[in-house]
Amino acid sequence: MENILIEKQDAIAIVTINRPTKLNALNKATIQELNDAFKSLNEDKSVKAIIVIGSGEKAFVAGADISEFANFSVKEGGKLAAEGQRLLFDFVQNLSTPVIAAVNGFALGGGLELAMSCHFRVASDNAKMGLPEVTLGVIPGYGGTQRLAQLVGKGRAMEMIMTAGMIDAETAKNYGLVNHVVAQAELLDFTKGIATKITKNSSVAIAKAIQAVNANYTDGVNGYQIEIENFGFCFGTEDFKEGTTAFLEKRKAEFPGK
Ligand code: COA
């Protein structure tokens, strides 16, 4: 991988987007590498949580790589959005393994869209977030118009998209866009702490919960029905047997992840 780094620490994988001289902007190659990485980490049963972060101290991701699409036609523009959503943004949102964005600086355009595709977000106190696409004469194309409105509400999303302004980490927390704000030096350890808690729980149940929560945001799908199906599914898993047995035996569960 040329543009990303993957490090495993116990049951946690840390994916670092590593183009610091371009503020980790997402070019085509990086999107493909991220797809490959998420796919293989999701298949690796020893990985129970994934953290995504940008390299350096300045940026999480400063957007899609503008130099790559500046000369695109209408058709190429549409394809760029469709391919990106398929390979990365929808892919991450629907991953069975929990993905946490550690937003360590600028998260703009595709960068904020990537953070919003993750299951939740933690930010450093220097982070700045926005969707500046209209300053380039285009709109967010990696799910930003949909996910920002889901996370912060329609009015705030409209204002952020129309003004192209950046919000700071505290405002993002007030908006519900990020769950926590911590000092930059503590960001990774703090996020790893949350990830570690996740890794102790049933990965099978977590995967089913992700699917059920996402169902609420999927057209034509009845989330309550998915919840009923996934709830029932859990009763047939080894994790359920272990979780309930451990509770009754007054010990900590050791989930097999099956
Ligand atoms: N695509 C391609 N390259 C980008 C980029 C992007 N989205 N964002 C930053 N870069 C590059 C810059 O071109 C520059 O490269 P260079 O040194 O080869 O000229 C390098 O990253 C550093 O960026 P620079 O603009 O010099 O840093 P800054 O501290 O002055 O400003 C930002 C930081 C984030 C405010 C500014 O880079 C910016 O506005 N980036 C674009 C944000 C954007 O519109 N994203 C949405 C894209 S759809």
Side-chain angles (χ1 to χ4, degrees), residues 10-13 45-51 95-101 118-122 179-180 190-207 209-210 239 253 255 257:
D10 301 318
I12 303 169
K45 290 301 156 209
S46 70
V47 173
K48 309 261 187 219
I50 301 169
I51 296 172
L95 213 69
S96 323
T97 310
V99 187
I100 311 171
C118 295
H119 297 124
F120 61 91
R121 292 142 291 284
V122 179
N179 293 7
H180 308 276
F190 182 89
T191 312
K192 275 194 252 171
I194 301 176
T196 301
K197 280 190 193 162
I198 292 171
T199 64
K200 307 285 184 218
N201 298 324
S202 161
S203 54
V204 183
I206 286 172
I210 291 171
D239 276 12
F255 290 109

Side-chain angles (χ1 to χ4, degrees), residues 159-172:
E159 184 179 339
M160 283 178 69
I161 292 167
M162 289 178 197
T163 62
M166 292 185 207
I167 57 170
D168 62 17
E170 276 306 323
T171 307

Side-chain angles (χ1 to χ4, degrees), residues 21-23 25 58 62-67 69 106 108-110 132-133 135-136 166:
T21 58
K22 296 291 171 194
L23 302 186
K58 202 167 162 185
D65 193 319
I66 298 166
S67 65
F69 63 71
F106 288 114
L108 302 175
E133 282 85 349
T135 66
L136 300 168
M166 292 185 207

Side-chain angles (χ1 to χ4, degrees), residues 103-126:
V103 180
N104 58 316
F106 288 114
L108 302 175
L112 180 56
E113 289 172 303
L114 177 60
M116 292 194 295
S117 300
C118 295
H119 297 124
F120 61 91
R121 292 142 291 284
V122 179
S124 57
D125 52 12
N126 65 319

